[in-house]
Every structure is written in C-alpha cells, then in structure tokens.
Amino acid sequence: MAAITVAHLTKRFVGKTAVNDVSFSLGKHEFLVLVGPSGCGKTTTLRMLAGLEPTTSGDIYFGARRVNDIRPKERNVAMVFQDYAVFPHLTVYENIAYGLRSRGAPRSLIAERVPAAAERFRIDHLLQRKPRQLSGGERQRVALSRAMVRDADLFLYDEPLSNLDAQLRHQAREDIVTLHNQKQKPSIYVTHDQSEAMAMGDRIAVMRDGRIEQIGTGGELYERPANLFVAYFIGTPSINLFDVILQAHGDGLYAATAGLRVLLPPEIRAGLQDRMGSTVKMGLRPEDFHVPKFAPFEVTEHNQTRGIVNVIEPSSTGCTVYLSTVEGTPQDFAATFRTRLPASYLGKEIPLALHLEKAHFFDAEHGASLLSR
Ligand SMILES: Nc1ncnc2c1ncn2[C@@H]1O[C@H](COP(=O)(O)OP(=O)(O)O)[C@@H](O)[C@H]1O
Ligand SMILES: [Mg+2]
C-alpha cells in the first residue's frame, strides 16, 4: 500500500483555485519533488498535507487512514516552511529541539540529536544564538535541522534552500538526500528550480496552475514529456521549438520550416501520419544539435541545418552556443557542444547536424505530445 495517497485534492480560495484535482501517491521510502512556477499551488498542496489548510474537496490518506479531519499535530508531519518560521525568542538549540520537546521526547534523545543535526548543517557554532543574530541562510538551516531531528511519518520541504548560496545549496541538497536515505520516510520536496528537482527527486511532479501536468522520474520527464509545458520547463537551456509543416514525399515524412527541411526517422513517424500538411511544434533539445564531424550518427543532407553564432558560453563540459536560423525570419535557438568553440566563430554561419531520433512533436494548439514513445 502507498504510504501517502492524495486523491482529487482541490483547494479554492475566493476567486482562485489554487490546487485543482491533484492526485498522486507516494511509496514508503519515496522522495517526491513538486516543481512548478511560482503560484502554481505547491505550498497550498503541502499545507493541506500537513493539515494547516482545510481542503475544499478530495481526500488525503496516510496509509489506509483518511487524515482530512485529523489535526496537524496528530498527523506527525515535519515541515520546513518557505519563510523558515523559526521562533525569535528561542535560541538555535531550543528552536531545533522544539518539535522533539513538544512531543515529549526524552532529554537524552534531544541532547543527542540537536547537536548532531546542527553539525550536519554546519550551524553547530551558533547553538546559543537567537535567530535575529543569524543570516537568512543560517535560519534556513535551523529550520531544516528542526525538521530533520523528528521521527515524523512524512517530511515536507517547502523551497528550503532558496536562501542559500550555490555552494551551500549543493551541500544541503546532499545532506537532505542522505538523511532521507537514512530515515527511509516518505518526503515531498517543493522547488521552482527544475535542476534541483532533477538532482533530488526519485519522482517529480510538474505543476502548473493548480494541476499536475506530468509525474514521473526525471528521465521520463526529460525523454518523454507529455506536453509542451513539461518539455519546456525541464532542461536547461530549454528545448528549442520550431513550427514545422509535415510533408510526405515518396516514402519519406519531412518536417519543414524556413531554412530547415529534415527527413524524420521511421521510429517517430507513427504518431505523425495523420498530421500530414499541418503545422506542429518540433522540439529539439540543445544537446541534440551537433558539430557534424562529432555527430554520433550518420550525417546526411536530410538531417542538417545551419545557424549563425551569436553567443558562445563556455561550460565545464564544452560550451553552450546561442544561434539564429539563417533563412526567413531569424529564430533563436541554443545548442550545447562537448567541445569548445573558439571565439572566432562569433557572427559566423556553421553547419549543424540534428539528432532527429530525439526530436519531440507537439500539437500546435493544445501542446500535447504527438509521440507515443
Ligand atoms: N490564503 C490565500 N488566499 C487567497 N489566495 C491564496 C492564498 N494562498 C495562496 N493563494 C493563491 O493560490 C495560488 C497558489 O499559491 P501557492 O500554493 O502559494 O503557490 P506556490 O507555492 O506554487 O508559489 C496563488 O495564486 C496564490 O496567490
Ligand atoms: Mg510556495
């Protein structure tokens, strides 16, 4: 049985549906990430799970027990809030100890866990300070420690790392995942940052406008996005989208737009046959553009295009190049290469090989994926 089940969960505020018919379930040891742009309903979903916000409709189960009407304290949930909500009048030590103390944990357990959590989050030198003597990042780590010392049945994290600088954020991510692996309790982690979601989640639920657009492993969302929103949201730089007309010539199926006419490989034709003559969105991720001589597939006249190099951004693995198409109205797109492109290429036109087996196709109006892979 799933540890946590959420069924048709809905929350309406006056004039606003914040969460709209959300359903998912969570395994006993699972780490689920809810990701989506600001305002899509992530915090409201967590607050309903914690019992801090009444539901408008839908059910929440912990195991077989429906908890909609169970008070927050009796749900035994540990939550890290977006605004960290540390108590200003308590020391760091007492803040971290709070959840344990209020549940009557023995003194010896508190004395053991509080310093250990503080050490893990590198605030052990601050235990006697008050929150006002801490930076935002330090307060955030107090809130994390306070949740992590608990023996909760469900851990909820609402953007707990937003105030940490890049290096500490990476470290804290690792700490959270390590602790999760030790505790083996279901956890839901909220972020608006897709790279954080990809790095941390066993599964990821992408939310938009109160709804879950798709739920799956990072790999599934990346390789098989259900729609344009997910395709665009996951991956950085974002997937490149081209409006193409599908054309049949002889045995072949071509996708064509100004300056680009490519022959689609057999494995992706199936979903597109009945779209002949119509315009669809073709998506190609930046890493699916290749310098022809380094392409991991055979380059022909049917899988090539050209682009003008506008910007070259070196990266640790090669570079990201921002280009525009050469014919018709120029369209910008991004390519990532595993080699460095010298600055002398700036402003020049270069050939590019397209890895069409990796292409995505979407309905031009409602954005649903047209591929069944
Ligand atoms: N108490 C409230 N009253 C009215 N509207 C709210 C309330 N809380 C949240 N909202 C609205 O519900 C939507 C979802 O909010 P929230 O769950 O905080 O989103 P997120 O955490 O994804 O940024 C937003 O449009 C927000 O303005
Ligand atoms: Mg929020």
Side-chain angles (χ1 to χ4, degrees):
M1 176 188 289
I4 307 291
T5 308
V6 169
H8 306 292
L9 191 61
T10 295
K11 178 71 192 187
R12 274 191 285 278
F13 294 111
V14 180
K16 172 83 201 175
T17 302
V19 176
N20 192 354
D21 195 22
V22 159
S23 300
F24 61 83
S25 60
L26 201 57
K28 259 200 314 227
H29 307 153
E30 200 173 9
F31 196 93
L32 177 75
V33 176
L34 281 185
V35 66
S38 176
C40 71
K42 304 181 297 293
T43 295
T44 307
T45 303
L46 287 197
R47 288 176 55 83
M48 286 192 284
L49 279 158
L52 303 171
E53 194 79 72
T55 61
T56 304
S57 59
D59 302 305
I60 302 170
Y61 295 92
F62 288 7
R65 182 182 186 214
R66 186 174 181 276
V67 298
N68 288 55
D69 304 317
I70 308 279
R71 283 184 306 175
K73 196 158 178 195
E74 279 138 36
R75 293 193 193 188
N76 197 22
V77 169
M79 180 159 171
V80 183
F81 295 88
Q82 201 163 4
D83 59 3
Y84 18 96
V86 290
F87 299 110
H89 58 288
L90 297 181
T91 61
V92 168
Y93 187 99
E94 286 306 323
N95 261 289
I96 299 174
Y98 185 84
L100 288 175
R101 249 198 240 299
S102 66
R103 278 171 182 76
R107 204 175 278 269
S108 57
L109 187 79
I110 296 174
E112 178 195 320
R113 287 202 187 165
V114 171
E119 193 182 337
R120 175 172 290 275
F121 289 105
R122 283 158 294 276
I123 46 171
D124 45 326
H125 56 298
L126 304 172
L127 284 170
Q128 295 318 316
R129 292 225 194 142
K130 293 281 179 62
R132 72 184 134 76
Q133 299 166 297
L134 305 179
S135 70
E138 286 162 348
R139 273 179 234 170
Q140 207 152 43
R141 284 178 277 155
V142 174
L144 268 171
S145 307
R146 181 175 60 191
M148 291 302 220
V149 293
R150 297 262 319 274
D151 290 313
D153 294 319
L154 173 63
F155 287 82
L156 302 174
Y157 305 88
D158 194 358
E159 312 217 22
L161 310 182
S162 48
N163 275 300
L164 303 186
D165 58 37
Q167 207 147 18
L168 266 178
R169 191 157 65 229
H170 275 101
Q171 181 74 57
R173 266 186 208 171
E174 251 181 76
D175 291 334
I176 291 171
V177 172
T178 306
L179 276 175
H180 167 74
N181 290 338
Q182 286 167 9
K183 285 177 180 289
Q184 300 271 308
K185 293 289 177 165
S187 303
I188 304 179
Y189 185 99
V190 157
T191 176
H192 62 271
D193 176 349
Q194 61 87 29
S195 63
E196 191 159 287
M198 294 292 272
M200 296 180 79
D202 294 331
R203 279 192 309 155
I204 300 169
V206 179
M207 282 188 83
R208 171 170 67 156
D209 235 358
R211 291 182 179 276
I212 291 184
E213 293 279 317
Q214 189 174 1
I215 183 162
T217 64
E220 284 163 0
L221 299 183
Y222 193 78
E223 306 278 339
R224 295 193 293 281
N227 56 45
L228 262 180
F229 181 80
V230 174
Y232 199 77
F233 193 77
I234 301 286
T236 175
S238 281
I239 194 168
N240 301 291
L241 296 169
F242 301 91
D243 288 317
V244 295
I245 299 182
L246 296 175
Q247 301 168 334
H249 276 284
D251 286 345
L253 175 56
Y254 292 81
T257 181
L260 177 78
R261 186 163 181 278
V262 293
L263 177 63
L264 300 181
E267 53 269 47
I268 56 178
R269 277 182 218 164
L272 303 175
Q273 294 295 0
D274 57 345
R275 297 281 173 148
M276 218 52 67
S278 61
T279 298
V280 299
K281 298 255 181 217
M282 178 170 79
L284 272 170
R285 297 210 180 266
E287 68 268 24
D288 297 325
F289 290 85
H290 294 265
V291 174
K293 70 172 168 186
F294 298 124
F297 49 88
E298 193 192 348
V299 182
T300 69
E301 57 177 312
H302 299 299
N303 60 7
Q304 277 203 68
T305 187
R306 306 184 69 76
I308 296 168
V309 177
N310 297 321
V311 175
I312 303 172
E313 249 176 40
S315 69
S316 52
T317 53
C319 63
T320 300
V321 182
Y322 295 89
L323 308 104
S324 17
T325 53
V326 291
E327 282 171 47
T329 312
Q331 184 186 337
D332 293 341
F333 63 102
T336 50
F337 298 143
R338 288 182 175 274
T339 48
R340 290 269 157 83
L341 206 60
S344 58
Y345 277 90
L346 278 172
K348 303 253 165 67
E349 196 179 305
I350 60 168
L352 294 159
L354 313 183
H355 201 171
L356 296 167
E357 279 83 6
K358 301 278 190 79
H360 300 270
F361 290 86
F362 304 96
D363 183 277
E365 256 134 56
H366 52 71
S369 173
L370 300 174
L371 301 183
S372 51
R373 70 173 166 224

